[in-house]
């Protein structure tokens, strides 16, 4: 297996940055470099935040993407 090249994002600087990231992630899915997977445990137990999980195909790593909801700035991070 290969190492996942994705990097953690602790906070998105704007909704525009988040939207650009979502477009990039959608391109990863279309290229079969990633797949969307079932959310198993919500970020910080928050059921109100919009969250998606993605698997990096080559490494098998699973990452969460949580949409900003001010004052929370969103996050992209590994699930484990």
């Amino acid at each position: 297996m290969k190492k996942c090249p994705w990097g953690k994002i602790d906070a998105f600087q704007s909704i525009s940055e988040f939207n650009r990231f979502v477009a990039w992630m959608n391109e990863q899915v279309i290229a079969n470099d990633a797949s969307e997977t079932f959310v198993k445990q919500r970020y910080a137990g928050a059921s109100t935040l919009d969250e998606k999980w993605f698997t990096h195909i080559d490494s098998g790593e699973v990452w969460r993407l949580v949409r900003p909801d001010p004052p929370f700035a969103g996050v992209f991070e590994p699930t484990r």
Side-chain angles (χ1 to χ4, degrees), residues 6-65:
W6 298 344
K8 183 176 179 181
I9 299 172
D10 290 320
F12 292 93
Q13 299 304 308
S14 66
I15 195 65
S16 295
E17 180 188 27
F18 176 79
N19 289 336
R20 285 190 304 274
F21 185 84
V22 168
W24 176 82
M25 184 55 73
N26 288 336
E27 291 172 9
Q28 298 295 300
V29 172
I30 290 167
N32 291 318
D33 292 329
S35 64
E36 190 169 347
T37 190
F38 180 74
V39 174
K40 294 181 182 173
Q41 185 175 3
R42 309 291 295 177
Y43 179 78
S47 62
T48 59
L49 295 175
D50 183 17
E51 177 174 353
K52 294 182 178 184
W53 283 19
F54 295 92
T55 301
H56 179 257
I57 300 299
D58 287 344
S59 69
E61 287 187 31
V62 179
W63 289 60
R64 75 176 68 222
L65 174 62

